[in-house]
Amino acid sequence: IDKAMAAIEDGKEGTITVIKDANLTFVQTFVDANKNKSVTFDLNGHHIKTTQTIYNQSDVTIIDSSENQTGTLEPLRVTGIVNQAVLTLNAGNYIGSVTQIIENQKTATINNARFSVTQNAIKNTGTLTIENINIENSNNGIQNTGKTIMNNGTINANQYASYGSTGTFILNNGTITANKVGLMNQKTEINDGSIYGKENAIGGNDGADVINGGIVSSDTNYAIYSYDGSITVNGGTISSR
């Protein structure tokens, strides 16, 4: 990746296409010293396994031009991609048993991506916009101490769909399901969509929760549980058993 980035001129757009399956054993970086390149990284239906983190320091968009959309990133024991600039996921299958597959420190947009991971799918400390996503089989969907805006998609988590002590989560649409708590320890704004948590749909001790619409539900406890925050309900449906 470093050498391919060097071939793209400053101020220009370029495409890096994966031509075969690969096993990466050393650190890769989308290097952009002057922060003025625009790069498309085409998985092209191939499977990338990596034991070293890929760092993004540029404006990178990941696509998959293959007909069957089989392009896959599988980090082994490490974070797959650490975004330190601008990252857009337009395609890809992201799988693994790592702490998180994507770590966003700056600005990231997910337009279409599928995650299957045993720990966290994403760690967000920056600004994350989700247009469409599918997170399955994860322990936790998103560790969020930044700002996450979800406009559509599905998150299914064994514990928390999203959690964090200082983050903000805005749900405009989509479906969130968790075996424990849907949105945990965050400031939340629910405008549409649905949140289900077996214990709590929304829980935590320091959030400010605003419900403008959507469906917020729980089976075994309170739909919304906040003992050191505020709750404002302007609309929507809230239910618990």
Side-chain angles (χ1 to χ4, degrees), residues 140-173:
N140 302 299
I142 302 172
Q143 182 182 354
N144 179 47
T145 55
K147 182 177 183 180
T148 296
I149 303 168
M150 182 173 176
N151 294 322
N152 213 339
T154 301
I155 301 175
N156 290 319
N158 292 324
Q159 291 198 73
Y160 309 123
S162 181
Y163 72 100
S165 58
T166 59
T168 297
F169 195 105
I170 299 172
L171 179 66
N172 292 322
N173 212 334

Side-chain angles (χ1 to χ4, degrees), residues 130-147:
I130 299 171
E131 298 297 342
N132 192 30
I133 198 169
N134 189 326
I135 299 177
E136 298 284 350
N137 303 319
S138 67
N139 197 34
N140 302 299
I142 302 172
Q143 182 182 354
N144 179 47
T145 55
K147 182 177 183 180

Side-chain angles (χ1 to χ4, degrees), residues 76-235:
L76 305 172
R77 304 184 302 277
V78 296
T79 298
I81 300 175
V82 173
N83 176 46
Q84 299 170 329
V86 179
L87 177 66
T88 303
L89 303 185
N90 285 344
N93 302 286
Y94 302 87
I95 64 176
S97 57
V98 294
T99 303
Q100 61 265 332
I101 294 182
I102 304 290
E103 179 178 339
N104 175 49
Q105 298 176 355
K106 292 292 185 180
T107 303
T109 301
I110 299 177
N111 291 317
N112 191 29
R114 295 168 295 279
F115 289 81
S116 180
V117 57
T118 56
Q119 295 298 317
N120 300 333
I122 300 169
K123 179 180 180 180
N124 177 49
T125 59
T127 299
L128 172 65
T129 302
I130 299 171
E131 298 297 342
N132 192 30
I133 198 169
N134 189 326
I135 299 177
E136 298 284 350
N137 303 319
S138 67
N139 197 34
N140 302 299
I142 302 172
Q143 182 182 354
N144 179 47
T145 55
K147 182 177 183 180
T148 296
I149 303 168
M150 182 173 176
N151 294 322
N152 213 339
T154 301
I155 301 175
N156 290 319
N158 292 324
Q159 291 198 73
Y160 309 123
S162 181
Y163 72 100
S165 58
T166 59
T168 297
F169 195 105
I170 299 172
L171 179 66
N172 292 322
N173 212 334
T175 301
I176 291 173
T177 304
N179 286 335
K180 290 189 72 174
V181 180
L183 301 178
M184 181 70 175
N185 276 1
Q186 297 164 94
K187 294 180 180 179
T188 61
E189 179 183 323
I190 312 303
N191 296 311
D192 206 346
S194 65
I195 306 173
Y196 166 82
K198 188 172 184 180
E199 294 182 6
N200 306 115
I202 301 173
N205 60 357
D206 54 4
D209 305 319
V210 178
I211 315 299
N212 295 317
I215 300 172
V216 180
S217 63
S218 175
D219 271 349
T220 61
N221 212 327
Y222 304 106
I224 303 173
Y225 181 47
S226 179
Y227 56 85
D228 190 18
S230 63
I231 301 172
T232 302
V233 179
N234 298 315

Side-chain angles (χ1 to χ4, degrees), residues 47-73:
H47 193 136
I48 298 175
K49 293 182 179 180
T50 180
T51 57
Q52 299 293 328
T53 297
I54 300 170
Y55 291 90
N56 176 40
Q57 299 172 355
S58 187
D59 183 343
V60 172
T61 299
I62 297 179
I63 69 168
D64 183 3
S65 62
S66 69
E67 181 179 355
N68 295 324
Q69 297 287 286
T70 53
T72 300
L73 175 66

